[in-house]
């Protein structure tokens, strides 16, 4: 066990569970009467509550974004590279709030939680949640924490969709929206990959139509396949090539179907590990939230028109080798923001790691991110 | 039932099964004592047998490349767009041979065939076959047909690998090798997608470790998933967007996990149809042949050195939006051919359909393909 944690870490952190009793009406038409949200916070809220930053997580993320839960935790939170003292989201200046989304599987109410109506896990009866619903639940979280306006709402990928939606659902409650490696809506190819993941899960014999909890079962193989497909799309062809190439585990071909290439055993390992820690119904729900997100739906595809209500400033970042949500998808967003006469800063960051690049600090990414949030901090006197 | 078939069709064709009794030693170390190959031929072999063209098929292909098996057949052979009177591979001039590869599931000996040693289907006991093995079996087919030298060996994707391998295994028996939408070896990403497909199949509870025939079972869900993943990689993001966009089957979101988007129902349909007609063990075997292909393996990655024995001329074609085997992969091949002082013609064809573009006639593709094979025909006096 190390004696010390890195100096630029937020250090030891503890999640907190907040209970909400006011019913929340969801986009699907259903209502959740009450729910829990698990949050972590880093830094200190200033006296006028103007320095709060909300972190929105992506498909497989959760509230543990920075720091360590224990001295012997193997890895820090998932975005520790960007959150901490002196880091782009500087916890010496900002009060950072990180929440596990509704429907998640890390403590917030989700499909694995007990349905008060039945006394059993919700399973497939848990409502399908949308990005708009998340923003609604996050607004109640802000109320609870006494935050009238976020200095910034920040997210990558699916998290970026939440940041964008915040600017539309609550224009007065967001000063800045930081939308990283994201898209204003999924393409047919994006939906297709999600559909493969869902089919893998729902066709696993251990899925039991989503009631696997009642059977003391887990659709491990389906989750593993879903994660394997997802993982391929998070990396670039080049970065997989760099990392694994065609390297074999043994010296020669085995002429069988075992994991012979390094990339095969890596994917199997990633898939297996994921299947032990993630809830299958949550995976379905998160992918559907991705599919459904389309703020321009109600304006007949006119994103600039959909953006009209927004009052915040935007920072949009994309990564050159991200083929899941390519720079072109960010540019669609930026072009619509410009058409809608919004303030927007945009950078395409040159990085070889595909979609995963938003989790990996590189000089230009860190510089742009830091400079922008420094300006935000100055604005709010932090 | 139509009265006539298109004028540029080879018309009604019948496959023929050829039995081979001479044992074939395979790359994996095993030997097949005897085997069948199913072939179709189109056109007429000339008196000096100089006008023969071999068609090599890809992952899910077979011997039925052109024409119709019956007047009411819904669709012609898989490469009918390129094979026929007046088409790029002109059956008025060439004698075209199309074979279902060893290990296939359309009549040639494969995992579903009866293992003479047990009287039961081979299943997982069928040897893993490589591209080199296919070339060897095709050479015996050539012997049987009295073809000493192919005017051209032609193939797309995995078929292109066979064309390339022919030029190395039998330099004196190939005048021209036409390598379309192919690659000199799979990338880590390519292997990763194959691995997902294999895991989907082998983790299907109906797979029974490859002995599903004995259980009167078919790993349908696994095959369906494998095909869905494959299908996404055959199309470009743009062509999927063009074809499906985000179109819904109903007017609004259903807030569930059914096939709501057109692209979802298309993929499910394609996957289901495929799972009814293709053998799972063959799918495993074909993907492994793809993974293993690497002619530069024995020359420490030096492809130009590996190409040294070749005596043929090459035509290499790639397609601008093919991200499975991108133009860069063809260019690797072309650069090595140039370094090795081989004669090579290369064109990157602008086409929006991704990898599938090699099956779709477009003016420039057809022009280049036709012009090249016209020259081949003239050379051999056809």
């Amino acid at each position: 066990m190390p004696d010390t944690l890195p100096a630029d870490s937020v250090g030891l952190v503890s999640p907190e569970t907040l209970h909400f009793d006011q019913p929340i009406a969801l986009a699907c038409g259903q209502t959740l009467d009450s729910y829990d949200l698990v949050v972590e916070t880093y830094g200190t809220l200033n006296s006028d509550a103007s320095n709060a930053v909300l972190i929105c997580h992506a498909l497989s993320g959760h509230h543990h974004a920075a720091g360590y839960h224990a001295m012997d935790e193997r890895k820090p939170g998932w975005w520790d590279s960007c959150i901490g003292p002196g880091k782009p989201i500087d916890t010496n200046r900002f009060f950072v709030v990180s929440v596990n989304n509704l429907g998640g599987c890390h403590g917030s109410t989700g499909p694995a939680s007990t349905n008060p109506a039945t006394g059993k896990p919700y399973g497939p009866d848990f409502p399908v949640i949308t990005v708009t619903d998340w923003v609604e639940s996050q607004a109640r979280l802000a109320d609870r924490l006494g935050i009238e306006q976020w200095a910034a709402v920040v997210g990558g990928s699916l998290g970026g969709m939440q940041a964008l939606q915040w600017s539309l659902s609550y224009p007065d409650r967001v000063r800045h929206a930081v939308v990283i490696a994201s898209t204003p809506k999924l393409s047919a190819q994006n939906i297709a990959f999600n559909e493969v993941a869902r089919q893998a899960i729902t066709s696993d014999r251990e899925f039991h139509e989503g009631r696997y909890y009642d059977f003391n079962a887990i659709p491990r193989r389906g989750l593993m396949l879903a994660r394997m497909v997802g993982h391929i799309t998070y990396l670039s062809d080049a970065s997989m090539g760099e990392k694994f190439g065609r390297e074999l585990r043994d010296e020669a071909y085995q002429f069988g179907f075992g994991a012979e290439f390094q990339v095969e055993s890596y994917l199997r390992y990633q898939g297996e590990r994921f299947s032990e820690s993630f809830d299958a119904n949550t995976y379905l729900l998160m992918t559907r939230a991705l599919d459904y997100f389309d703020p321009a739906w109600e304006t007949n595809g006119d994103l600039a028109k959909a953006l009209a209500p927004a009052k915040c400033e935007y920072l949009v970042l994309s990564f050159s080798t991200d083929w899941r949500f390519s720079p072109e998808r960010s540019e669609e967003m930026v072009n619509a923001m410009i058409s809608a006469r919004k303030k927007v800063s945009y950078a395409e960051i040159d990085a070889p790691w595909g979609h995963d690049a938003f989790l990996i600090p590189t000089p230009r990414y860190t510089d742009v991110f830091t400079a922008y949030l420094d300006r935000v901090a100055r604005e709010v006197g932090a």
Side-chain angles (χ1 to χ4, degrees), chain A:
Chain A
M1 196 188 294
D3 289 339
T4 57
L5 295 171
D8 63 354
S9 168
V10 298
L12 285 177
V13 296
S14 296
E16 190 184 352
T17 301
L18 303 177
H19 184 71
F20 294 82
D21 262 332
Q22 194 193 343
I24 185 168
L26 303 166
C28 65
Q30 293 187 54
T31 295
L32 274 178
D33 287 336
S34 68
Y35 54 94
D36 291 339
L37 292 179
V38 176
V39 297
E40 283 183 12
T41 66
Y42 322 116
T44 309
L45 189 63
N46 61 10
S47 56
D48 59 353
S50 64
N51 71 333
V53 171
L54 176 67
I55 306 296
C56 302
H57 69 72
L59 206 162
S60 60
H62 44 66
H63 54 280
H64 185 34
Y68 297 80
H69 282 167
M71 290 300 284
D72 59 352
E73 197 174 32
R74 201 173 55 86
K75 288 203 297 188
W78 59 269
W79 218 8
D80 195 79
S81 59
C82 292
I83 304 169
K87 292 181 181 173
I89 302 171
D90 189 343
T91 50
N92 289 332
R93 306 169 84 185
F94 291 114
F95 176 65
V96 178
V97 178
S98 179
V99 58
N100 183 216
N101 276 338
L102 200 55
C105 54
H106 290 85
S108 292
T109 299
S113 305
T114 300
N115 181 349
T118 63
K120 286 191 188 181
Y122 280 100
D125 300 328
F126 196 83
V128 168
I129 305 284
T130 65
V131 169
T132 313
D133 296 330
W134 283 329
V135 169
E136 186 58 36
S137 66
Q138 290 159 358
R140 295 176 182 207
L141 171 62
D143 294 343
R144 175 74 59 89
L145 299 172
I147 297 160
E148 176 50 33
Q149 186 188 54
W150 298 103
V153 179
V154 182
S157 193
L158 177 56
M161 293 176 174
Q162 295 161 59
L164 184 61
Q165 186 60 45
W166 257 100
S167 72
L168 308 179
S169 295
Y170 290 99
D172 292 313
R173 302 192 70 173
V174 193
R175 286 187 73 91
H176 294 268
V178 180
V179 182
I180 306 176
S182 194
T183 173
K185 60 175 189 272
L186 294 203
S187 69
Q189 188 190 68
N190 295 147
I191 296 171
F193 278 122
N194 282 347
E195 169 65 2
V196 170
R198 284 190 293 265
Q199 285 289 318
I201 288 169
T202 57
S203 70
D204 187 316
R205 68 168 156 178
E206 300 296 352
F207 183 65
H208 299 290
E209 298 189 313
R211 301 201 188 278
Y212 45 89
Y213 321 98
D214 304 344
F215 293 80
N216 207 13
I218 297 175
R220 273 184 219 283
R221 301 293 292 182
L223 261 171
M224 176 182 154
L225 286 169
R227 181 61 167 182
M228 287 171 76
V229 171
H231 209 92
I232 298 173
T233 70
Y234 305 148
L235 302 175
S236 67
D237 189 17
S239 67
M240 288 190 102
E242 181 98 355
K243 199 165 178 178
F244 308 107
R246 296 175 49 83
E247 266 182 54
L248 298 173
R249 299 175 69 202
D250 292 302
E251 280 186 11
Y253 293 155
Q254 302 299 305
F255 297 102
F257 302 110
E260 288 187 32
F261 291 94
Q262 293 290 2
V263 67
E264 293 178 304
S265 67
Y266 171 81
L267 280 181
R268 286 187 193 185
Y269 173 76
Q270 291 291 333
E272 279 164 13
R273 223 180 49 173
F274 186 76
S275 73
E276 285 158 14
S277 63
F278 207 86
D279 181 65
N281 283 315
T282 290
Y283 202 87
L284 297 181
L285 184 151
M286 294 280 170
T287 58
R288 212 38 150 181
L290 277 161
D291 292 353
Y292 281 170
F293 184 67
D294 184 8
W297 167 268
E298 285 177 19
T299 52
N300 291 314
D302 185 339
L303 184 60
K305 203 169 167 187
L307 292 172
K311 295 179 176 174
C312 70
E313 281 187 53
Y314 293 101
L315 172 63
V316 178
L317 296 176
S318 69
F319 298 90
S320 54
T321 58
D322 182 354
W323 60 280
R324 186 183 173 95
F325 298 149
S326 69
E328 288 70 30
R329 312 306 310 280
S330 284
E331 286 157 25
E332 275 174 53
M333 231 185 303
V334 171
N335 290 338
M337 288 163 180
I338 291 169
S339 291
R341 305 290 183 266
K342 307 299 168 189
K343 289 185 184 166
V344 51
S345 303
Y346 173 61
E348 177 184 329
I349 310 290
D350 224 9
W353 300 286
H355 190 59
D356 265 2
F358 88 86
L359 298 167
I360 300 167
T362 45
R364 183 152 180 264
Y365 177 31
T366 304
D367 285 353
V368 172
F369 203 175
T370 302
Y372 191 90
L373 283 174
D374 175 60
R375 182 156 70 78
V376 175
R378 286 163 193 264
E379 274 177 26
V380 299

